């Protein structure tokens, strides 16, 4: 077999199965949307709950004001979008600058990271070796309970992608890069900072025999960079 064909075959094996998993998940969500009376081709269909807050951060930045401005809210309290992190809105803003609507941008960024996360999982953690266990893991990742949030206008898929990257970099002992990836995960969604605790717990339980100075240096790089992302 010519070398070029071998390379194409290897490339296909790295892309095709994650792509199939992504498409099947997307199709399943589209069928569910249609059954509920929504059109899956419309970007607005993928907007729910906090989506508007992320889009408002992308369009206008952060706002903090008296709830008296909003009918039905307690005027003694404060409202705004300051609780929603900026990583995802920054990417939305980037796509809107080249002609996409904010809603379309949110869908594209979320879907892009959903697919990228499956690619990363398949190629970095699973081999990519074709066997029953790896296929089951890939399917579970694509259809994990609540996976609609990985496709909706929401930053879960972005956070998940960088968490996977951070864990792999940590395992490879590329601690500084792991900390940077962890920072981006926390910068995109609030629960991303829990990864700092995961790293710290691993150091405490599985690297406790190493010199304290070495443990502290690793902790500073991975947890110390991840936590400030929020």
């Amino acid at each position: 077999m010519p070398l070029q064909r071998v390379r194409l075959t290897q490339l296909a094996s790295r892309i095709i199965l994650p792509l199939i998993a992504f498409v099947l998940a997307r199709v399943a969500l589209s069928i569910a949307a249609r059954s509920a009376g929504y059109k899956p081709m419309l970007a607005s269909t993928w907007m729910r709950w906090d989506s508007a807050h992320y889009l408002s951060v992308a369009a206008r930045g952060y706002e903090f004001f008296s709830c008296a401005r909003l009918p039905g809210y307690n005027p003694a309290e404060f409202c705004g979008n300051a609780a929603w992190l900026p990583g995802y809105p920054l990417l939305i803003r980037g796509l809107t600058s080249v002609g996409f609507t904010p809603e379309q941008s949110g869908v594209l960024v979320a879907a892009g990271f959903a697919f990228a996360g499956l690619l990363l999982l398949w190629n970095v953690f699973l081999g990519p070796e074709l066997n029953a266990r790896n296929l089951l893991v890939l399917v579970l990742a694509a259809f994990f309970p609540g996976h609609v949030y990985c496709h909706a206008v929401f930053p879960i898929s972005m956070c998940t992608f960088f968490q996977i990257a951070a864990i792999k970099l940590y395992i490879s002992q590329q601690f500084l890069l792991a900390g940077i990836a962890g920072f981006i995960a926390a910068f995109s969604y609030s629960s991303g900072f829990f990864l700092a605790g995961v790293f710290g717990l691993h150091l405490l339980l599985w690297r406790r025999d190493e010199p304290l100075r070495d443990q502290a240096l690793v902790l500073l790089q991975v947890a110390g960079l991840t936590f400030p992302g929020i």
Side-chain angles (χ1 to χ4, degrees):
M1 183 180 293
L3 181 59
Q4 185 176 6
R5 183 174 296 179
V6 171
R7 288 176 177 174
L8 287 174
T9 302
Q10 291 174 342
L11 180 63
S13 69
R14 291 180 175 275
I15 295 176
I16 288 177
L17 285 176
L19 179 59
I20 291 174
F22 169 80
V23 170
L24 289 177
R26 196 79 180 183
V27 168
L29 291 173
S30 297
I31 292 172
R34 285 193 179 279
S35 68
Y38 295 96
K39 297 179 179 179
M41 296 304 295
L42 295 179
S44 58
T45 294
W46 303 90
M47 289 186 58
R48 287 294 181 275
W49 303 103
D50 292 346
S51 299
H53 291 294
Y54 289 108
L55 295 185
S56 71
V57 174
R60 301 184 299 276
Y62 284 105
E63 301 172 311
F64 188 68
F65 51 84
S66 170
C67 291
R69 285 171 46 180
L70 302 177
Y73 283 77
N74 185 347
E77 296 180 351
F78 288 94
C79 294
N81 56 16
W84 286 263
L85 291 164
Y88 180 59
L90 285 173
L91 296 183
I92 292 175
R93 181 179 294 183
L95 282 182
T96 57
S97 68
V98 296
F100 292 99
T101 68
E103 293 82 1
Q104 291 170 339
S105 300
V107 171
L108 287 172
V109 172
F113 275 112
F115 176 49
L118 294 175
L119 274 176
L120 189 63
L121 179 68
W122 178 252
N123 288 285
V124 173
F125 280 96
L126 302 179
E129 182 180 345
L130 184 59
N131 57 50
R133 187 206 67 169
N134 287 353
L135 284 176
L136 182 61
V137 172
L138 183 64
V139 171
L140 178 61
F143 288 89
F144 199 78
H147 73 284
V148 63
Y149 282 101
C150 289
H151 298 260
V153 180
F154 213 73
I156 289 296
S157 60
M158 179 179 176
C159 179
T160 301
F161 172 84
F162 284 104
Q163 284 181 319
I164 295 172
I167 292 171
K168 177 57 180 178
L169 290 165
Y170 177 84
I171 293 172
S172 302
Q173 298 191 29
Q174 300 181 63
F175 301 122
L176 181 60
L177 292 177
I180 292 172
F183 175 89
I184 299 173
F187 193 62
S188 59
Y189 192 63
S190 55
S191 62
F193 85 95
F194 284 116
L195 193 58
V198 172
F199 290 144
L201 188 62
H202 185 271
L203 283 169
L204 179 65
L205 297 179
W206 282 276
R207 298 173 66 102
R208 60 181 181 272
D209 294 332
E210 297 183 7
L212 185 60
R213 178 180 176 277
D214 292 346
Q215 292 185 51
L217 181 60
V218 172
L219 187 65
L220 182 64
Q221 292 178 83
V222 292
L225 284 175
T226 296
F227 190 80
I230 60 171

